[in-house]
Short mmCIF file of all heavy atoms in Angstrom, two decimals:
data_model
loop_
_atom_site.label_atom_id
_atom_site.label_comp_id
_atom_site.label_asym_id
_atom_site.label_seq_id
_atom_site.Cartn_x
_atom_site.Cartn_y
_atom_site.Cartn_z
N LYS P 244 -8.52 55.92 -4.15
CA LYS P 244 -7.69 56.20 -2.96
C LYS P 244 -7.76 55.10 -1.92
O LYS P 244 -6.73 54.75 -1.30
CB LYS P 244 -8.15 57.54 -2.35
CG LYS P 244 -7.17 58.05 -1.34
CD LYS P 244 -7.61 59.38 -0.80
CE LYS P 244 -6.67 59.78 0.32
NZ LYS P 244 -7.06 61.04 0.92
N ILE P 247 -5.56 52.16 -3.02
CA ILE P 247 -4.13 52.46 -2.92
C ILE P 247 -3.70 52.57 -1.45
O ILE P 247 -2.61 52.16 -1.10
CB ILE P 247 -3.78 53.73 -3.72
CG1 ILE P 247 -4.14 53.48 -5.19
CG2 ILE P 247 -2.31 54.07 -3.63
CD1 ILE P 247 -4.00 54.67 -6.08
N SER P 248 -4.60 53.08 -0.61
CA SER P 248 -4.30 53.14 0.82
C SER P 248 -4.05 51.74 1.36
O SER P 248 -3.12 51.53 2.15
CB SER P 248 -5.46 53.76 1.59
OG SER P 248 -5.64 55.09 1.20
N ALA P 251 -0.66 50.60 0.04
CA ALA P 251 0.46 51.33 0.66
C ALA P 251 0.67 50.94 2.12
O ALA P 251 1.79 51.03 2.63
CB ALA P 251 0.21 52.83 0.56
N VAL P 264 -9.01 37.92 -19.53
CA VAL P 264 -8.29 39.11 -19.97
C VAL P 264 -8.60 40.36 -19.12
O VAL P 264 -7.67 41.03 -18.67
CB VAL P 264 -8.53 39.38 -21.49
CG1 VAL P 264 -7.85 40.67 -21.91
CG2 VAL P 264 -8.03 38.23 -22.31
N SER P 268 -5.78 42.39 -17.09
CA SER P 268 -5.50 43.78 -17.42
C SER P 268 -5.51 44.64 -16.16
O SER P 268 -4.64 45.47 -15.95
CB SER P 268 -6.57 44.26 -18.42
OG SER P 268 -6.47 45.64 -18.61
N LEU P 271 -2.68 43.78 -13.67
CA LEU P 271 -1.41 44.32 -14.15
C LEU P 271 -1.21 45.75 -13.66
O LEU P 271 -0.13 46.13 -13.23
CB LEU P 271 -1.37 44.24 -15.69
CG LEU P 271 -0.15 44.82 -16.38
CD1 LEU P 271 1.13 44.10 -15.98
CD2 LEU P 271 -0.30 44.77 -17.90
N ILE P 275 1.68 47.18 -11.11
CA ILE P 275 2.56 48.32 -11.39
C ILE P 275 2.52 49.33 -10.26
O ILE P 275 3.54 49.85 -9.81
CB ILE P 275 2.20 48.95 -12.76
CG1 ILE P 275 2.50 47.95 -13.90
CG2 ILE P 275 2.96 50.23 -12.99
CD1 ILE P 275 1.90 48.30 -15.23
N LYS P 279 5.46 50.51 -7.65
CA LYS P 279 5.80 51.93 -7.42
C LYS P 279 5.79 52.28 -5.93
O LYS P 279 6.54 53.13 -5.49
CB LYS P 279 4.78 52.82 -8.15
CG LYS P 279 5.16 53.11 -9.56
CD LYS P 279 6.13 54.29 -9.61
CE LYS P 279 6.73 54.43 -10.99
NZ LYS P 279 7.81 55.43 -10.99
N GLU P 292 -9.81 28.81 -11.71
CA GLU P 292 -9.14 28.29 -12.91
C GLU P 292 -9.94 27.14 -13.50
O GLU P 292 -10.47 26.28 -12.79
CB GLU P 292 -7.73 27.81 -12.52
CG GLU P 292 -6.78 27.70 -13.68
CD GLU P 292 -6.85 26.38 -14.40
OE1 GLU P 292 -7.23 25.39 -13.79
OE2 GLU P 292 -6.54 26.36 -15.60
N VAL P 301 -1.43 29.61 -17.07
CA VAL P 301 -0.61 30.10 -15.95
C VAL P 301 0.69 30.72 -16.49
O VAL P 301 1.15 31.77 -16.02
CB VAL P 301 -0.32 28.95 -14.96
CG1 VAL P 301 0.78 29.35 -13.99
CG2 VAL P 301 -1.57 28.58 -14.21
N GLU P 303 1.17 32.11 -19.38
CA GLU P 303 0.90 33.41 -20.01
C GLU P 303 0.70 34.50 -18.91
O GLU P 303 1.17 35.61 -19.07
CB GLU P 303 -0.36 33.32 -20.86
CG GLU P 303 -0.10 32.62 -22.19
CD GLU P 303 -1.36 32.38 -23.01
OE1 GLU P 303 -2.45 32.21 -22.41
OE2 GLU P 303 -1.28 32.36 -24.24
N GLU P 305 1.99 34.51 -15.93
CA GLU P 305 3.31 34.81 -15.36
C GLU P 305 4.11 35.69 -16.30
O GLU P 305 4.82 36.60 -15.86
CB GLU P 305 4.08 33.50 -15.11
CG GLU P 305 3.61 32.79 -13.85
CD GLU P 305 4.40 31.54 -13.55
OE1 GLU P 305 4.92 30.92 -14.49
OE2 GLU P 305 4.49 31.18 -12.37
N THR P 306 4.00 35.41 -17.59
CA THR P 306 4.74 36.20 -18.58
C THR P 306 4.24 37.65 -18.59
O THR P 306 5.05 38.58 -18.62
CB THR P 306 4.58 35.57 -19.98
OG1 THR P 306 4.92 34.19 -19.89
CG2 THR P 306 5.47 36.25 -21.00
N ILE P 307 2.95 37.81 -18.55
CA ILE P 307 2.39 39.17 -18.61
C ILE P 307 2.71 39.94 -17.33
O ILE P 307 3.16 41.08 -17.39
CB ILE P 307 0.86 39.12 -18.85
CG1 ILE P 307 0.56 38.60 -20.26
CG2 ILE P 307 0.22 40.48 -18.65
CD1 ILE P 307 -0.87 38.21 -20.50
N GLU P 309 4.89 39.17 -14.98
CA GLU P 309 6.30 39.02 -14.55
C GLU P 309 6.39 38.77 -13.05
O GLU P 309 7.26 39.28 -12.36
CB GLU P 309 7.09 40.28 -14.95
CG GLU P 309 7.18 40.45 -16.46
CD GLU P 309 7.79 41.76 -16.87
OE1 GLU P 309 7.29 42.81 -16.43
OE2 GLU P 309 8.77 41.74 -17.63
N LYS P 347 -2.42 24.86 1.07
CA LYS P 347 -1.03 24.77 0.60
C LYS P 347 -0.43 26.17 0.49
O LYS P 347 0.71 26.39 0.87
CB LYS P 347 -0.98 24.06 -0.75
CG LYS P 347 0.45 23.99 -1.31
CD LYS P 347 0.70 22.78 -2.11
CE LYS P 347 2.14 22.55 -2.50
NZ LYS P 347 3.14 23.47 -2.05
N GLU P 356 4.88 22.80 6.59
CA GLU P 356 4.65 21.63 5.72
C GLU P 356 3.17 21.48 5.44
O GLU P 356 2.33 21.66 6.33
CB GLU P 356 5.16 20.37 6.40
CG GLU P 356 6.66 20.27 6.37
CD GLU P 356 7.15 19.17 7.28
OE1 GLU P 356 6.34 18.42 7.83
OE2 GLU P 356 8.38 19.08 7.45
N HIS P 358 0.14 19.08 4.32
CA HIS P 358 -0.30 17.68 4.20
C HIS P 358 -1.65 17.66 3.49
O HIS P 358 -2.65 18.08 4.08
CB HIS P 358 -0.42 17.03 5.58
CG HIS P 358 0.84 17.14 6.37
ND1 HIS P 358 1.92 16.35 6.10
CD2 HIS P 358 1.21 17.96 7.38
CE1 HIS P 358 2.90 16.68 6.94
NE2 HIS P 358 2.49 17.67 7.71
N ILE P 360 -5.19 16.79 2.17
CA ILE P 360 -6.25 15.95 2.70
C ILE P 360 -6.95 15.30 1.51
O ILE P 360 -7.46 16.00 0.62
CB ILE P 360 -7.26 16.77 3.54
CG1 ILE P 360 -6.48 17.51 4.66
CG2 ILE P 360 -8.34 15.88 4.12
CD1 ILE P 360 -7.32 18.48 5.44
N GLU P 361 -6.95 14.00 1.51
CA GLU P 361 -7.49 13.28 0.35
C GLU P 361 -8.99 13.48 0.22
O GLU P 361 -9.70 13.64 1.23
CB GLU P 361 -7.19 11.80 0.45
CG GLU P 361 -7.78 11.19 1.70
CD GLU P 361 -7.53 9.72 1.77
OE1 GLU P 361 -7.78 9.05 0.76
OE2 GLU P 361 -7.10 9.24 2.82
N PRO P 362 -9.47 13.50 -1.00
CA PRO P 362 -10.90 13.70 -1.19
C PRO P 362 -11.69 12.43 -0.81
O PRO P 362 -11.11 11.35 -0.73
CB PRO P 362 -11.03 13.97 -2.68
CG PRO P 362 -9.82 13.33 -3.28
CD PRO P 362 -8.76 13.37 -2.25
N LYS P 364 -13.89 9.29 -1.20
CA LYS P 364 -13.99 8.34 -2.33
C LYS P 364 -15.33 7.62 -2.29
O LYS P 364 -15.43 6.43 -2.56
CB LYS P 364 -12.83 7.36 -2.26
CG LYS P 364 -11.56 8.01 -2.75
CD LYS P 364 -10.39 7.21 -2.40
CE LYS P 364 -9.16 8.03 -2.64
NZ LYS P 364 -8.03 7.45 -1.96
N THR K 104 4.22 25.62 -11.38
CA THR K 104 3.13 26.43 -11.95
C THR K 104 1.81 25.68 -11.74
O THR K 104 1.65 25.05 -10.71
CB THR K 104 3.39 26.68 -13.45
OG1 THR K 104 3.57 25.40 -14.08
CG2 THR K 104 4.60 27.55 -13.67
N ARG K 105 0.95 25.74 -12.68
CA ARG K 105 -0.32 25.00 -12.55
C ARG K 105 -0.07 23.56 -12.93
O ARG K 105 0.46 23.28 -14.01
CB ARG K 105 -1.36 25.63 -13.51
CG ARG K 105 -2.66 24.86 -13.53
CD ARG K 105 -3.51 25.36 -14.66
NE ARG K 105 -2.84 25.20 -15.94
CZ ARG K 105 -3.41 25.47 -17.11
NH1 ARG K 105 -4.60 25.95 -17.16
NH2 ARG K 105 -2.75 25.29 -18.23
N TYR K 111 -4.09 11.09 -6.78
CA TYR K 111 -3.63 10.48 -5.54
C TYR K 111 -3.02 9.12 -5.87
O TYR K 111 -3.41 8.45 -6.83
CB TYR K 111 -4.77 10.35 -4.54
CG TYR K 111 -5.12 11.68 -3.94
CD1 TYR K 111 -6.12 12.49 -4.50
CD2 TYR K 111 -4.43 12.17 -2.83
CE1 TYR K 111 -6.41 13.72 -3.97
CE2 TYR K 111 -4.73 13.41 -2.31
CZ TYR K 111 -5.72 14.19 -2.87
OH TYR K 111 -6.00 15.44 -2.34
N ASP K 113 -3.13 6.11 -4.76
CA ASP K 113 -3.91 4.88 -4.91
C ASP K 113 -4.85 4.91 -6.11
O ASP K 113 -5.46 3.92 -6.44
CB ASP K 113 -4.69 4.61 -3.62
CG ASP K 113 -5.64 5.75 -3.30
OD1 ASP K 113 -5.29 6.90 -3.60
OD2 ASP K 113 -6.73 5.48 -2.79
N ARG K 134 5.71 15.95 -9.42
CA ARG K 134 5.96 16.26 -8.01
C ARG K 134 5.17 15.26 -7.17
O ARG K 134 3.97 15.08 -7.39
CB ARG K 134 5.52 17.68 -7.67
CG ARG K 134 5.78 18.03 -6.20
CD ARG K 134 5.67 19.50 -5.91
NE ARG K 134 4.29 19.96 -6.02
CZ ARG K 134 3.91 21.21 -5.73
NH1 ARG K 134 4.81 22.10 -5.38
NH2 ARG K 134 2.65 21.59 -5.87
N ALA K 138 3.11 12.77 3.04
CA ALA K 138 3.30 13.29 4.39
C ALA K 138 4.14 14.56 4.31
O ALA K 138 3.78 15.44 3.54
CB ALA K 138 3.96 12.24 5.27
N SER K 139 5.24 14.62 5.02
CA SER K 139 6.02 15.86 5.00
C SER K 139 7.11 15.82 3.94
O SER K 139 7.89 16.76 3.80
CB SER K 139 6.64 16.10 6.37
OG SER K 139 7.45 14.99 6.70
N ILE K 175 -2.02 5.72 -0.30
CA ILE K 175 -3.31 6.43 -0.35
C ILE K 175 -3.18 7.94 -0.17
O ILE K 175 -3.90 8.72 -0.76
CB ILE K 175 -4.28 5.81 0.68
CG1 ILE K 175 -5.74 6.22 0.39
CG2 ILE K 175 -3.90 6.15 2.13
CD1 ILE K 175 -6.76 5.37 1.03
N LYS K 185 8.24 23.66 -21.06
CA LYS K 185 8.54 23.83 -22.49
C LYS K 185 9.81 23.08 -22.85
O LYS K 185 10.75 23.07 -22.06
CB LYS K 185 8.73 25.32 -22.80
CG LYS K 185 7.44 26.01 -23.16
CD LYS K 185 7.75 27.39 -23.67
CE LYS K 185 6.51 28.11 -24.11
NZ LYS K 185 6.81 29.44 -24.57
N ARG K 348 6.54 38.03 -23.87
CA ARG K 348 5.65 38.94 -23.15
C ARG K 348 4.96 39.89 -24.14
O ARG K 348 3.76 40.08 -24.07
CB ARG K 348 6.42 39.75 -22.10
CG ARG K 348 5.51 40.56 -21.24
CD ARG K 348 6.18 41.16 -20.05
NE ARG K 348 5.20 41.74 -19.16
CZ ARG K 348 4.78 42.99 -19.22
NH1 ARG K 348 5.29 43.82 -20.11
NH2 ARG K 348 3.86 43.44 -18.38
N VAL K 351 2.43 37.88 -26.06
CA VAL K 351 1.25 37.52 -25.27
C VAL K 351 0.38 38.75 -25.02
O VAL K 351 -0.84 38.69 -25.12
CB VAL K 351 1.67 36.84 -23.93
CG1 VAL K 351 0.46 36.55 -23.07
CG2 VAL K 351 2.44 35.56 -24.19
N MET K 352 1.06 39.87 -24.72
CA MET K 352 0.31 41.12 -24.47
C MET K 352 -0.46 41.51 -25.72
O MET K 352 -1.62 41.92 -25.64
CB MET K 352 1.29 42.24 -24.10
CG MET K 352 2.02 42.05 -22.79
SD MET K 352 1.08 42.46 -21.34
CE MET K 352 1.27 44.22 -21.29
N LYS K 354 -1.39 39.50 -28.14
CA LYS K 354 -2.41 38.48 -28.39
C LYS K 354 -3.71 38.80 -27.65
O LYS K 354 -4.80 38.61 -28.18
CB LYS K 354 -1.86 37.13 -27.91
CG LYS K 354 -2.78 35.95 -28.13
CD LYS K 354 -2.14 34.68 -27.60
CE LYS K 354 -3.11 33.52 -27.52
NZ LYS K 354 -2.53 32.35 -26.86
N TYR K 355 -3.57 39.30 -26.41
CA TYR K 355 -4.76 39.56 -25.60
C TYR K 355 -5.12 41.05 -25.58
O TYR K 355 -5.99 41.45 -24.81
CB TYR K 355 -4.56 39.04 -24.19
CG TYR K 355 -4.50 37.53 -24.14
CD1 TYR K 355 -3.29 36.87 -23.97
CD2 TYR K 355 -5.65 36.76 -24.32
CE1 TYR K 355 -3.23 35.48 -23.95
CE2 TYR K 355 -5.59 35.38 -24.32
CZ TYR K 355 -4.38 34.76 -24.14
OH TYR K 355 -4.32 33.37 -24.13
N LEU K 357 -3.44 43.59 -24.48
CA LEU K 357 -3.11 44.23 -23.21
C LEU K 357 -1.99 45.25 -23.38
O LEU K 357 -1.16 45.12 -24.26
CB LEU K 357 -2.68 43.17 -22.18
CG LEU K 357 -3.73 42.16 -21.75
CD1 LEU K 357 -3.11 41.01 -21.01
CD2 LEU K 357 -4.80 42.81 -20.91
N ASP K 359 0.74 47.93 -21.07
CA ASP K 359 1.26 48.41 -19.79
C ASP K 359 0.79 49.84 -19.59
O ASP K 359 0.69 50.58 -20.58
CB ASP K 359 2.79 48.37 -19.79
CG ASP K 359 3.32 46.99 -19.51
OD1 ASP K 359 2.80 46.34 -18.60
OD2 ASP K 359 4.25 46.56 -20.19
N GLU K 362 4.10 55.57 -17.38
CA GLU K 362 4.62 56.19 -16.16
C GLU K 362 3.74 57.37 -15.71
O GLU K 362 3.45 57.52 -14.53
CB GLU K 362 6.04 56.67 -16.43
CG GLU K 362 6.84 57.00 -15.21
CD GLU K 362 7.28 55.75 -14.43
OE1 GLU K 362 7.18 54.62 -14.96
OE2 GLU K 362 7.70 55.93 -13.30
N VAL K 365 0.61 56.26 -14.05
CA VAL K 365 0.90 55.74 -12.70
C VAL K 365 1.08 56.89 -11.73
O VAL K 365 0.53 56.88 -10.63
CB VAL K 365 2.19 54.85 -12.74
CG1 VAL K 365 2.58 54.41 -11.33
CG2 VAL K 365 1.99 53.65 -13.63
N GLU K 366 1.83 57.89 -12.16
CA GLU K 366 2.07 59.05 -11.31
C GLU K 366 0.77 59.76 -10.95
O GLU K 366 0.57 60.18 -9.81
CB GLU K 366 3.04 60.04 -11.99
CG GLU K 366 4.48 59.54 -12.04
CD GLU K 366 5.07 59.21 -10.66
OE1 GLU K 366 4.73 59.87 -9.69
OE2 GLU K 366 5.86 58.25 -10.60
N VAL K 368 -2.21 58.42 -10.76
CA VAL K 368 -2.94 57.60 -9.78
C VAL K 368 -2.35 57.78 -8.40
O VAL K 368 -3.07 57.96 -7.42
CB VAL K 368 -2.87 56.09 -10.21
CG1 VAL K 368 -3.45 55.20 -9.11
CG2 VAL K 368 -3.64 55.86 -11.50
N LEU K 369 -1.04 57.79 -8.33
CA LEU K 369 -0.38 57.92 -7.03
C LEU K 369 -0.54 59.32 -6.44
O LEU K 369 -0.62 59.47 -5.23
CB LEU K 369 1.09 57.55 -7.15
CG LEU K 369 1.36 56.06 -7.39
CD1 LEU K 369 2.83 55.82 -7.64
CD2 LEU K 369 0.91 55.22 -6.20
N TYR K 372 -3.61 59.63 -4.54
CA TYR K 372 -3.48 58.98 -3.22
C TYR K 372 -2.71 59.86 -2.26
O TYR K 372 -3.07 60.03 -1.11
CB TYR K 372 -2.79 57.63 -3.39
CG TYR K 372 -2.19 57.12 -2.11
CD1 TYR K 372 -3.02 56.73 -1.06
CD2 TYR K 372 -0.81 57.07 -1.94
CE1 TYR K 372 -2.48 56.28 0.14
CE2 TYR K 372 -0.27 56.63 -0.76
CZ TYR K 372 -1.10 56.23 0.29
OH TYR K 372 -0.57 55.80 1.45
N GLU K 417 -5.15 66.04 1.54
CA GLU K 417 -6.06 66.36 0.44
C GLU K 417 -6.05 67.85 0.23
O GLU K 417 -5.66 68.59 1.14
CB GLU K 417 -7.49 65.91 0.81
CG GLU K 417 -7.71 64.42 0.69
CD GLU K 417 -9.12 64.01 1.04
OE1 GLU K 417 -9.88 64.85 1.56
OE2 GLU K 417 -9.46 62.86 0.74
#
Side-chain angles (χ1 to χ4, degrees):
Chain P
K244 193 178 174 181
I247 299 174
S248 296
V264 176
S268 172
L271 176 62
I275 294 167
K279 272 276 170 188
E292 200 275 333
V301 167
E303 284 174 330
E305 282 183 331
T306 308
I307 291 167
E309 295 172 306
K347 178 148 190 1
E356 285 168 7
H358 305 284
I360 304 172
E361 59 177 312
K364 284 166 191 164
Chain K
T104 54
R105 175 191 59 175
Y111 285 92
D113 60 326
R134 180 166 69 176
S139 59
I175 196 162
K185 272 189 177 179
R348 187 170 190 269
V351 177
M352 295 280 278
K354 182 181 168 187
Y355 293 104
L357 295 167
D359 279 316
E362 195 74 12
V365 175
E366 288 303 326
V368 172
L369 289 174
Y372 160 68
E417 284 181 348

